[in-house]
Structures are given as C-alpha cells and as structure tokens.
Amino acid sequence: MHSGRKGGFMNKISAFFFWLALLPGSLYRRMGVDLVQLSLILRYKLIMDDRRPNTFQQTQVNRKKEGISRATYGTMLIALLMGLLNLVAFAMGADELTYFTIYFSLFLFLLSSTLISDFTAVLIDVRDTVILLPKPVHDRTFLLARILHIMVHMFRVIVPMLLPALVFLAVEYNWQVVMLFLLAALLASLMAIFFINAIYLLIIRITTPEKFKSFIAWFQIGFMILIYGAYQVVPRASSMESVQNFSVQDYSLIGLFPPYWFASSIFEGAGLDGVRSWGWLLLTVVMSIGSSWVVIRFLAPSFNQKLAMLSGGETGAVAGSTVVSGMSRVGYADRLANWFTFSSVERAGFLFTWKWALRNRGFRMRVYPAIGYIVVWFVISIYRNVLQLDDNEPESSSIMLSAAGLLGLIYLSCFIFISAIQQISQADEYKASWIFYSSPVAAPGLLLSGTLKALLAQFFLPLAVLLLVLGISWQGMSAVPNLLLGFSNQLLISGLLLLVNYKKLPASLPANKADATGNFLRGMLMLLFNGGFGLVHYFIYSFPVVVWISVVLSGLSVWLVYRRIARVSWSEL
Amino acid sequence: MMQADNDSTKPVIELIGLNKSYGTRQVLCDINLSIYAGQVIGYIGPNGAGKSTTVKILCGLISDFEGTVLVNGVNIQQDPVAVKKMIGYVPELADLYEVLTPLEFLELMAGLYQLDPAVSKLRILKMLQAFGLGGNLDQRMDTFSKGMRQKVLLISGLIHNPSIIILDEPLSGLDANSVIIVKELINKLAKEGKTIFYCSHMMDVVEKVSDRIVLINQGSILADGSFESLQEMMGKGSLESIFAQLTSTDNLRDTASEIMDAFRQEGGIHE
C-alpha cells in the first residue's frame, strides 16, 4: 500500500484517514488515476488542513512561532457537540421510524451546511489553479484527490457527530441496529458529499466563473437565514403535543424524502417495526454510488477548466457592468454624503465606507446574516402584532403588546449596525489602509465619524424609515415621540460603541487580529446596555411628557458623543 | 523528460491560427508562431494584449481555444499531460501554499512531475541553497518576503529540468543581486538548448536576455524578430522606444504634458 513520501507530518487522526482513503488503491488505478500523485496531493492537502487555524486558534498569540498543527481537533470537538444536540431527534415523534427520519434529516442538514461552508475553502482553493493545474496530472487524479480530501475532511466531522447516537443506540437497542445505523449513516454521508459536489459542479457549468464566487457567498447568507428562520418558526408553529404525536408514516409522499430512505433501510435487518423493504436499502446504495458516478463521468471534465478561469484575469466585460451598477449607487451615496457630512475628510470617510461595505464580499458575509436574522424577527413580530391583535384580548394589553413589539424592533435593529461597526475595521486587504496614514489628516476622528455615519446610513436609515411607517400605521401619530426617542437612543448607542470599543479606521486590520474573546464580552456588555435603554424606554412609553424630555436629553447626548468622535486623535486609535 | 530531438528545423512550439475570445471580446486573433530549440523568446506587449492568455494556453490551463498548439509535435488539446511534462512554468505573482515549508512545497511539486524522491530531494536542497534559502528550509512560507517566494517559484518551475521554460515576470520582487543570478541562469539554460518563453514588461531586461522578440498588441503579433532586426525596421533606439512606437496611438510625451496641464487649467482647487 502506498504510504506517500516523507515530508511534512500529519496528526494521527489525519494520518489514519489518509491511510483509509487510499485503501482502495487498485480500484483507483483501474479508474485511470495516478496513485503516487494522488497520495502526494492528498497528503499535502491534509497537512495544510492541520495547519490552517480554526476559530479557536486564530487568537493564539504565538501562532507564528509554533505554528498550528492540531486545527483538526477543535473541529472535531464542535462536531461532537452537534452530535449530542442531534439526539433530540429521539425525543420527537410517535414511532421509531419517525425518530430515525428526523435524526437523518438533522444529520444530513448539518453535514450539508458544513460542506457548503467548507467548500469555498477546500474545493475552490484558487491557488490550485496556478500551483497544481500546470503540472502533468490528469483531471481524474485531481478530481479524486479533491473528492478524497473532502471525504476525509467530512469524516473528521462525521465520526464525532455520529458518536453520541451510536452510544445511545447501543444502550437503547442492540448491536444490529448500531451496525445498520452506521451503514445507513455512511451511505447518507456519501450521498451528501456527492450531492453537494454535483450541485457545485453544475452551477460552475451554468454560470460564469466570475459570478460563481459571489453566488456561493449569497447562497451561504441565505442558508444561514433560512436555518435561523426555521429555528424561530417551527417551535412556534407547532405545539409540543403535536410534535409527540407526529409520525412520518402518516404522509404518503415521505418516500420522496431521502432521510426516510436511510431510516427505513435500518429497519429491515434490525427486525424493528416499520416499513420492511430491502428496496429502501437498495435505493440508498444506488443513489449514493450513482450520484458519484454521474459526478466523475459527466461533471468533472470541465471543472478544472472553469476553475482555471476562476482566478484568471478575465475581467473585461464583467468589470464594465460592475462599474455601471456602481454608478447609480454612487449618485445616491453622494447625496447622502452631502446631507450627513460636514467636511471633506468626513465625506471621504463616508464615501469610502459606503462603497467598501457594499462591495466587499468578506464584509457582506460577516454582516448580512445579522440582517437576515433581524428580517426574520421583523416578520415574526409583524405576524404577532398585526395578525393576532384581533384576538379577544382586552384593549389595553393589546396596546402594551404592540408597544413591546415596536420597542423590541427598534432596539433589536442595533444588532445590524453593531455587527457592521465591529466588522468594518477588518479586511483581507488591510494593507491598503496606508492611504489613511500617509494622507495629511490631522486627526482621524472625522474619518471615523464619516465611517459611522455611512454605516448608519446604510444599515440603520432604511430600517428607521420602515419602523417609522410601521409605527405610525400601528399606533397613529402618538407613536412619533417614542419612535424619535428610540432612534435617538440607537444613534447614541452606536456612537458610544464606536467611542468605547471600535476606534479603528475602516478596512485597516487583518481579519484574524480581532480579539475574539474580548469581542464577545464587549458584545454582551453592549447588549445589556442596549437592553437597559430599551427597558427604561418601555416603562416611560405611555407618558408623552417624559418621552419628549428624554428625546431632548438623548438628542443632546448624541450631539456630544458625535462631536467627541470627530475629535478622536491618532494616539487614541 | 528531455526531448532528444535536436532537429533545429522542426519547431519546439508551434502556434497555428490561434484564436481565443471571452464572450464577445476577442483576446487573441490568429496568432501564428514557430519557436525553435534554444531560442529565448521575449514575449512583450501592453497590458491586456493577450500575453497571459497565450501563456495559459501554452501551459494547458485554458483548452477551449481555436487553432492548433503543438509542443514538440504533441497537440496540447489532445494530450495536455504530455505537454505539461515538457514545460516548466513560473507564474507571475503567484500564490503558494503558505503553510508549507519550501522543502515540503517543492517535494510536492517534484512528486507531481514524477521525479524520483531521492533525486529530487538533493536537487531541491542544492537549488534552495544556491538561491540563499538554505537557512529557511523548514520555515513556513507565510513568513517569506516577496523575493523569497519568487525564488521558490522559480525552483518549482525548473525542478524537473524541462526542455521548455515559460517565465511570466520572473524578476518581480527580486533584489538586484538575484536579478543578476536569474539573468545569468536564463543564458546558461538557453546554451543547454532549452527553449525559453519570457514574458515581461521590463524592456531593458527583455532586450538583453532575448534573442528573438515577439510583440503583441490587441491579440495580434505586431513585430517578430531579433532586437537588431527590429532596430533596422524601426530605426535605432531602445526596445522601450520601439515598443512605444508600435503600441501607442498617442504621443506619450504629450500624454505627460496633459497630466501636468491638469494642474494649470482647472478654475480653482476643490476642497
């Protein structure tokens, strides 16, 4: 068996999976794959995985010195926790077939989402284009190396994720169930890998490679929002009782639902009650292996070609269209800048931040999901306030309900700009921030206030307009002072946040320099602070005079804080 | 993997009727070029002329082009792997797998070229030491300077002793002494009969290093010949001035004057 060459060292877990992945060597050779090259590429890909910092290790100070070689362990720990959470499936539903169907749904879901988020890093490593593709290696070898790499990568997640369920099943059932479950889980994993792989390859065939990257980013954002929405809506929509009585066997179309196939295929050998059919097991095997065949046979050949173009300099026509779409935006941004900024430096900060926040993929990826969560919240609140107001509740309580709802929306909207303020200083291209330091700006405060205003104009202004409309339509003009107080408090909180924590120029720090643990604590403090404001506001809500006085006080504080920001000096950064 | 064929009448690289477009934009229009063993081709042209597209086609990175590309008689569309074996490619400002050490990275490269590990290890060590990276063998490349990375890339393109070497701006980031080393290296490689395809914007280097200069603009070859023959055609002068005459539609001195005029002609300074 091939053990690769001497070179870098993998950690033990990676080495084991490496050995496992190359076990069917003679099969690979028959497929026309060069084994030496395959093992070499896979080996180094795994070594690089181990050295890539994960979320835990990015904050380590002595990273350069010792390097990271155990990134894998952290990933596995998270997967183990997810696996424990998945056990909830065995508490939902009326029968065992339902348990397993729900378990496999959760399993496939978590696996697919991990795959999707990792694919950009693992599968679409654009460096491969210049480094690997000019080498005399067949497309087939590349593809298999990539698939094996993904599989190893996934199995490092799958094994710890399955572990809690395996222990649970061994205790509650018998070894037959455990074995069948393991088999079904492996087939399910295989199917998830090839299914997602096929989707990616298909997308890359249909669209231009240039659009592909931003498509993935948008897809990931949408996906995160979907998950969040599901978590918010599902428990509300159905009561616990109906969950307990739920059985998949009541639905005839369940046969179209892949998790059901895996669940059903367990029952045949284990002698449990359920739909007995070898057909399901056969179906899973055929689907898993069939999809891999389709990927290798039809989709792979064009993949490397497209990948080559992905990092290429073919930007001609596309660049043109980007500029055009940017132009109309700039007109709008210019007008906003005229309204909100009072000096050329502040205006420069405003316009730079406005454009950068709109166009930078990394920033969008970090901030837009937060917006999605708020949108979900909005929908739920409107649903509660508008649709359920007609219930036969006493008049007063329904007004207080919408007061809480409205204030909830106003004070929650800070999540969006808080994450925007937190993220605006981080960028991959942070080195380009020399322009701020080399230009003759006496104090960076005006740049900062321009930045803050741009973020508020982008992430708070549209929301404020929407809330104004909603608030007035819910409660008439009497809501205006409360809305004003809410908005003013939001401006105050954003200003204080920047002043206390984030006196950093936009796009001026490397992404992993951020002090994650400190950020978390500060974020929590900020939430308490914001919640405190909201709570006080809630108590004075029905006293217009108090509200008006508070508006004046809050407005005055906003003016003072923003004036202070404009005076931040270089030494304070 | 050396090509034993020393018949100098037979071209090593042959581009016949090469066309390539991205959507409606034609990047290469009917390129015909025959390159012979031992030639050092200086492949020059302004930005967007189609240089890197040509290089990508030659390296097998782009295969959906029209026309024929033969490398030592092998059609690149039919057998890209065979062609890739004969070529050493040093990309421009390329990424490296930074978490690897140069030793690890080059062992991976050598392995992909199917070199015997015993041979390649020795070769890698010698080359790294010659380039002054002997002390950085086991250091991850994320700490490397631009010049150090460029040296590793150069080695990765030469490691398998290819008969054809494609260099895309190989001097970028290198210090003056390293530039001298690389220029001398190119001369020595050409003397051994290797064909070198040198892409660059640095006219003075191209002028000294190449024995044949191919100038392309907007996807077509404008000039092809030795520096001396270009001078005969365009009048005495540096390659820089010949380049300007052939590729620029405006008078470049006027352009500079226009830039300076921007200060004078405006009504007032905007704050």
Side-chain angles (χ1 to χ4, degrees):
Chain A
M1 192 69 260
H2 252 287
S3 57
R5 278 157 219 245
K6 270 186 232 163
F9 297 98
M10 286 181 272
N11 70 39
K12 288 205 174 66
I13 291 168
S14 302
F16 171 73
F17 280 120
F18 175 73
W19 171 80
L20 202 66
L22 291 180
L23 265 185
S26 55
L27 177 73
Y28 298 157
R29 197 176 284 126
R30 241 173 289 148
M31 287 160 70
V33 166
D34 187 310
L35 264 188
V36 180
Q37 293 181 329
L38 177 76
S39 67
L40 202 63
I41 297 173
L42 186 62
R43 176 183 197 89
Y44 276 102
K45 285 278 177 188
L46 293 179
I47 289 174
M48 288 191 275
D49 277 355
D50 286 344
R51 293 180 189 176
R52 195 170 293 141
N54 70 13
T55 30
F56 295 138
Q57 290 161 321
Q58 280 177 354
T59 52
Q60 285 180 358
V61 188
N62 55 351
R63 163 170 123 92
K64 281 277 152 62
K65 211 171 178 186
E66 292 193 12
I68 293 147
S69 45
R70 291 190 176 80
T72 318
Y73 295 131
T75 317
M76 294 180 81
L77 192 73
I78 296 172
L80 188 69
L81 288 174
M82 282 178 167
L84 281 170
L85 281 176
N86 277 355
L87 286 182
V88 81
F90 293 97
M92 292 161 89
D95 52 52
E96 269 142 348
L97 193 59
T98 309
Y99 296 160
F100 281 101
T101 305
I102 293 176
Y103 183 86
F104 278 110
S105 308
L106 290 174
F107 177 70
L108 278 175
F109 177 75
L110 281 174
L111 197 60
S112 306
S113 46
T114 317
L115 270 176
I116 285 169
S117 65
D118 284 357
F119 258 40
T120 25
V122 176
L123 184 73
I124 318 288
D125 188 343
V126 284
R127 291 174 303 180
D128 288 357
T129 328
V130 259
I131 300 174
L132 293 182
L133 292 197
K135 304 291 175 289
V137 182
H138 275 287
D139 278 3
R140 242 175 250 153
T141 309
F142 268 132
L143 184 79
L144 189 66
R146 195 170 276 139
I147 288 177
L148 287 179
H149 179 207
I150 293 162
M151 284 177 73
V152 169
H153 187 80
M154 289 321 300
F155 275 76
R156 288 191 291 220
V157 177
I158 291 168
V159 171
M161 207 189 268
L162 286 177
L163 212 57
L166 287 174
V167 173
F168 175 79
L169 292 177
V171 174
E172 285 285 308
Y173 296 89
N174 52 43
W175 65 269
Q176 279 170 306
V177 176
V178 172
M179 292 311 289
L180 282 163
F181 171 78
L182 203 60
L183 179 69
L186 290 182
L187 285 172
S189 316
L190 207 62
M191 197 169 115
I193 290 168
F194 282 106
F195 182 64
I196 302 280
N197 203 343
I199 288 181
Y200 265 70
L201 292 173
L202 210 62
I203 292 168
I204 220 170
R205 274 205 151 182
I206 296 166
T207 77
T208 59
E210 294 83 13
K211 286 184 187 155
F212 181 59
K213 277 184 176 175
S214 54
F215 173 84
I216 294 174
W218 284 113
F219 180 77
Q220 288 177 340
I221 291 169
F223 201 70
M224 282 191 256
I225 294 167
L226 193 76
I227 295 172
Y228 180 77
Y231 274 109
Q232 285 290 323
V233 173
V234 172
R236 280 164 220 265
S238 51
S239 66
M240 205 54 208
E241 201 178 334
S242 61
V243 167
Q244 291 299 346
N245 293 328
F246 171 77
S247 169
V248 289
Q249 297 182 69
D250 299 342
Y251 301 88
S252 54
L253 285 178
I254 191 73
L256 297 173
F257 193 53
Y260 178 75
W261 310 342
F262 299 110
S264 306
S265 57
I266 291 178
F267 287 89
E268 179 54 40
L272 295 170
D273 284 341
V275 184
R276 290 162 180 261
S277 163
W278 281 102
W280 295 117
L281 187 59
L282 196 68
L283 184 65
T284 55
V285 173
V286 169
M287 285 302 289
S288 307
I289 295 175
S291 52
S292 39
W293 182 74
V294 169
V295 166
I296 293 177
R297 184 77 181 73
F298 296 107
L299 297 171
S302 72
F303 184 74
N304 284 331
Q305 283 299 322
K306 291 278 189 177
L307 197 65
M309 290 167 70
L310 208 61
S311 69
E314 294 85 39
T315 45
V318 183
S321 69
T322 319
V323 171
V324 172
S325 71
M327 285 296 276
S328 59
R329 288 276 197 184
V330 171
Y332 177 56
D334 276 331
R335 231 173 304 144
L336 288 177
N338 288 341
W339 291 341
F340 296 129
T341 63
F342 305 103
S343 78
S344 62
V345 172
E346 193 180 26
R347 186 186 160 84
F350 183 96
L351 288 175
F352 169 75
T353 308
W354 179 273
K355 290 168 198 165
W356 192 82
L358 275 179
R359 294 177 196 174
N360 185 277
R361 190 183 296 134
F363 179 81
R364 290 201 309 239
M365 279 302 294
R366 293 190 294 262
V367 174
Y368 283 18
I371 300 175
Y373 302 154
I374 299 294
V375 170
V376 171
W377 237 92
F378 255 76
V379 172
I380 291 169
S381 300
I382 293 169
Y383 169 81
R384 276 210 222 134
N385 279 284
V386 177
L387 298 180
Q388 298 183 340
L389 215 63
D390 301 330
D391 291 358
N392 44 3
E393 292 173 24
E395 188 75 352
S396 62
S397 95
S398 94
I399 282 176
M400 284 316 280
L401 185 72
S402 8
L406 188 62
L407 289 182
L409 286 180
I410 293 175
Y411 284 86
L412 264 172
S413 66
C414 77
F415 276 102
I416 296 175
F417 65 74
I418 282 182
S419 70
I421 291 171
Q422 282 175 337
Q423 302 293 345
I424 193 69
S425 59
Q426 296 173 28
D428 291 333
E429 56 276 59
Y430 66 95
K431 282 179 183 161
S433 65
W434 61 266
I435 53 162
F436 299 119
Y437 299 101
S438 66
S439 50
V441 175
L446 285 172
L447 280 171
L448 288 180
S449 81
T451 295
L452 180 61
K453 285 173 179 175
L455 290 178
L456 289 174
Q458 211 169 88
F459 295 100
F460 180 61
L461 188 64
L463 215 66
V465 172
L466 183 68
L467 284 170
L468 196 68
V469 174
L470 278 180
I472 293 175
S473 61
W474 277 349
Q475 300 172 4
M477 292 311 279
S478 65
V480 171
N482 277 304
L483 285 166
L484 282 181
L485 179 59
F487 296 158
S488 173
N489 281 345
Q490 291 302 297
L491 294 182
L492 183 60
I493 287 165
S494 68
L496 285 173
L497 180 71
L498 184 114
L499 208 52
V500 175
N501 277 333
Y502 299 101
K503 288 193 291 278
K504 299 281 182 289
L505 290 172
S508 65
L509 292 173
N512 56 356
K513 271 277 170 66
D515 168 16
T517 43
N519 259 352
F520 178 72
L521 283 178
R522 288 176 196 165
M524 288 306 290
L525 267 176
M526 217 49 229
L527 287 184
L528 280 178
F529 196 55
N530 188 41
F533 266 93
L535 205 64
V536 172
H537 190 164
Y538 180 76
F539 286 127
I540 64 169
Y541 189 87
S542 359
F543 308 100
V545 180
V546 187
V547 172
W548 274 118
I549 294 170
S550 310
V551 170
V552 173
L553 287 176
S554 170
L556 198 68
S557 323
V558 170
W559 183 73
L560 284 172
V561 166
Y562 278 59
R563 215 172 59 142
R564 174 70 187 85
I565 290 173
R567 287 181 187 166
V568 168
S569 67
W570 283 111
S571 58
E572 286 179 274
L573 275 194
Chain B
M1 251 64 72
M2 281 281 296
Q3 198 65 22
D5 193 354
N6 281 330
D7 184 0
S8 60
T9 57
K10 214 173 141 204
V12 176
I13 300 172
E14 223 177 339
L15 310 179
I16 307 159
L18 185 61
N19 277 284
K20 167 74 193 163
S21 49
Y22 295 114
T24 55
R25 197 167 58 103
Q26 183 100 11
V27 189
L28 294 177
C29 345
D30 198 32
I31 299 271
N32 289 288
L33 201 58
S34 296
I35 298 167
Y36 298 89
Q39 283 191 329
V40 181
I41 305 289
Y43 198 61
I44 57 176
N47 292 330
K51 291 194 302 292
S52 42
T53 305
T54 317
V55 167
K56 279 183 181 171
I57 288 173
L58 272 177
C59 297
L61 293 179
I62 297 174
S63 66
D64 55 338
F65 56 84
E66 289 158 41
T68 312
V69 175
L70 300 174
V71 177
N72 281 322
V74 181
N75 187 321
I76 199 166
Q77 274 172 318
Q78 281 159 11
D79 195 352
V81 173
V83 171
K84 286 175 182 178
K85 274 186 193 169
M86 299 181 246
I87 289 179
Y89 172 43
V90 179
E92 180 189 9
L93 292 178
D95 289 308
L96 292 161
Y97 297 131
E98 296 177 343
V99 290
L100 297 180
T101 68
L103 208 55
E104 291 170 337
F105 181 77
L106 291 170
E107 278 178 351
L108 170 65
M109 295 296 105
L112 294 181
Y113 281 115
Q114 294 153 0
L115 295 182
D116 179 2
V119 176
S120 66
K121 176 109 190 205
L122 208 65
R123 208 181 272 177
I124 291 167
L125 283 174
K126 275 187 181 169
M127 284 181 157
L128 281 171
Q129 249 136 19
F131 262 127
L133 294 176
N136 312 87
L137 296 179
D138 295 315
Q139 209 177 334
R140 290 187 192 173
M141 293 189 286
D142 47 11
T143 57
F144 276 25
S145 72
K146 215 165 141 193
M148 290 161 89
R149 286 167 199 228
Q150 191 60 30
K151 288 174 183 172
V152 176
L153 279 174
L154 272 166
I155 299 173
S156 85
L158 299 175
I159 189 85
H160 56 302
N161 197 11
S163 60
I164 300 163
I165 300 159
I166 299 177
L167 304 167
D168 199 348
E169 294 288 1
L171 303 181
S172 66
L174 292 184
D175 60 31
N177 291 338
S178 307
V179 168
I180 295 173
I181 296 174
V182 174
K183 280 201 271 190
E184 191 54 35
L185 189 65
I186 291 172
N187 283 330
K188 287 208 154 69
L189 288 166
K191 270 186 198 136
E192 283 203 5
K194 298 196 186 298
T195 310
I196 293 167
F197 197 85
Y198 187 103
C199 262
S200 181
H201 287 296
M202 297 161 84
M203 295 301 147
D204 49 336
V205 182
V206 175
E207 187 184 310
K208 277 179 205 137
V209 166
S210 343
D211 46 34
R212 179 177 165 197
I213 289 164
V214 176
L215 196 161
I216 74 164
N217 193 20
Q218 294 175 342
S220 305
I221 296 177
L222 291 187
D224 179 0
S226 66
F227 177 52
E228 291 73 25
S229 71
L230 288 184
Q231 277 185 321
E232 270 170 38
M233 206 168 71
M234 306 295 300
K236 292 281 170 199
S238 64
L239 184 56
E240 192 179 78
S241 64
I242 294 174
F243 182 90
Q245 281 178 56
L246 283 170
T247 60
S248 173
T249 48
D250 322 317
N251 187 324
L252 299 177
R253 290 211 172 71
D254 287 350
T255 308
S257 306
E258 278 169 32
I259 294 169
M260 295 307 292
D261 279 347
F263 294 123
R264 295 188 196 103
Q265 286 176 355
E266 64 195 18
I269 292 169
H270 296 286
E271 269 302 310

